[in-house]
Amino acid sequence: MAETLLLETRDGVRVITLNRPDVLNAFTATMGDELHDALRDAEQDAAVRSVLLTGAGRGFCSGQDLREESPGPRAYGALLRTRYNRIILRMRTMETPVLAAVNGVAAGAGCNLALAADLRIASDRASFIEVFARIGLIPDSGGTWLLPRLVGTGRALEMMMLAEPVDAPTAERIGLVNRVVPHDELLPRAMEWAARLAQGPTRAYGLIKRGVERNLSADLRSALDYEAFLQDIAGRTDDHREGVSAFREKRTPAYRGR
Ligand code: T3D
């Protein structure tokens, strides 16, 4: 039983809801531990084939809880290494696909948490703020790595230095999110996507994640070689056999994620 999260599993989808709505789901030490463990558990549970991450109330996540510790000069390195970095790394390296349903403001580490998901679907009330510079910090939790790759260096630096909110339509236009939907449709639409992922060839999705992650910093020759390596693995899965059989038999494939 988590103190700061709501957890449920439906249609192969583990729904993780950040649940501190009074503070727009600001991060505490407990939430950091619970979110990390919830992601790990989802990855290890064979019945879970996709993860949907969202927030309770009107915010997605407002980043570090600024009331948790007293203000003043602090050595943040250890906090980042123990709390945030392992969450971001797990989201990027776990084979299970992760979808963020961004229901409201996503600020600071909360913004970068959304960026670390594989896909983002946003409410028309969502906004994204790399808020760090407002309090004299730099974007952490993967922001300096994730954001330029999604929107390009110019826009990323603008978001990081001016620290102004990017609204949902702009986020969709610049590639920060995959889709924007009317607020009331967010959860049904996100569940539709997450269930579709859960019924898909999830082993291949995991290999896609690995390929993209590694090849973002590879030269073409080694990227091609890594694709060949991953395709060898995909080619041996039951899902690949099932996909080809279903094509030949003109039926919908029944993928099992192996
Ligand atoms: O340890 C470290 O600091 C290092 C790690 C850093 C990682 C980070 O994430 S640094 C960035 C931390 N986050 C922020 O600086 C964001 C702070 N929040 C805001 O700027 C605004 O709340 C928002 C722009 C996100 C939303 O504004 P608005 O006007 O929609 O809502 P609000 O009225 O400001 O917030 C509603 C309540 O949530 C309010 O409480 P109250 O007055 O009703 O009792 C507000 O204080 C609380 N709240 C919002 N964000 C946080 C928070 N309380 C604690 N920590 C927060 N991050």
Side-chain angles (χ1 to χ4, degrees):
M1 180 81 180
E3 189 184 305
T4 63
L5 306 176
L6 301 173
L7 299 168
E8 62 171 315
T9 308
R10 271 188 276 157
D11 303 328
V13 180
R14 175 69 43 86
V15 182
I16 302 177
T17 305
L18 307 176
N19 190 31
R20 302 186 70 230
D22 293 350
V23 288
L24 309 177
N25 304 314
F27 251 99
T28 56
T30 305
M31 187 187 273
D33 286 343
E34 290 185 346
L35 179 57
H36 174 268
D37 292 354
L39 291 165
R40 181 203 56 206
D41 293 349
E43 187 181 13
Q44 290 174 357
D45 186 339
V48 172
R49 290 176 57 204
S50 74
V51 170
L52 194 165
L53 179 62
T54 191
R58 74 174 177 88
F60 175 73
C61 176
S62 59
Q64 169 64 30
D65 188 318
L66 296 176
R67 297 175 188 165
E68 190 178 39
E69 313 221 15
S70 50
R74 292 182 56 201
Y76 286 125
L79 175 83
L80 293 172
R81 288 187 188 97
T82 53
R83 184 174 304 175
Y84 294 100
N85 293 4
R86 65 187 190 137
I87 294 172
I88 301 299
L89 269 178
R90 188 166 284 278
M91 288 171 72
R92 302 297 296 181
T93 56
M94 63 197 282
E95 297 222 337
T96 320
V98 181
L99 169 66
V102 186
N103 51 302
V105 64
C111 180
N112 297 332
L113 185 70
L115 302 191
D118 301 311
L119 301 172
R120 278 158 294 286
I121 180 164
S123 148
D124 53 9
R125 295 185 198 161
S127 61
F128 298 81
I129 321 177
E130 290 289 356
V131 72
F132 302 85
R134 287 189 191 174
I135 55 170
L137 293 179
I138 68 140
D140 55 35
S141 307
T144 58
W145 195 92
L146 295 162
L147 187 61
R149 283 172 165 77
L150 285 168
V151 302
T153 315
R155 283 191 191 280
L157 287 172
E158 178 183 333
M159 282 182 70
M160 292 175 185
M161 289 179 177
L162 300 186
E164 282 171 2
V166 168
D167 62 19
T170 308
E172 188 176 33
R173 186 168 46 78
I174 67 177
L176 197 58
V177 300
N178 299 86
R179 293 284 189 288
V180 174
V181 298
H183 187 74
D184 293 342
E185 291 175 25
L186 178 68
L187 282 184
R189 289 281 293 276
M191 261 316 280
E192 232 173 78
W193 272 31
R196 179 172 157 188
L197 289 171
Q199 285 151 23
T202 39
R203 193 73 223 285
Y205 296 158
L207 297 171
I208 290 170
K209 284 182 73 161
R210 276 169 67 180
V212 170
E213 198 73 1
R214 182 205 180 265
N215 285 346
L216 273 169
S217 56
D219 60 50
L220 178 61
R221 188 176 300 276
S222 89
L224 289 169
D225 197 51
Y226 195 59
E227 285 174 358
F229 165 73
L230 294 176
Q231 199 70 297
D232 252 345
I233 302 172
R236 293 193 182 98
T237 60
D238 292 350
D239 281 349
H240 170 56
R241 258 196 306 280
E242 166 63 7
V244 174
S245 302
F247 175 78
R248 289 183 181 154
E249 293 158 20
K250 298 188 186 299
R251 61 173 173 80
T252 307
Y255 291 123
R256 301 165 73 176
R258 55 180 197 236

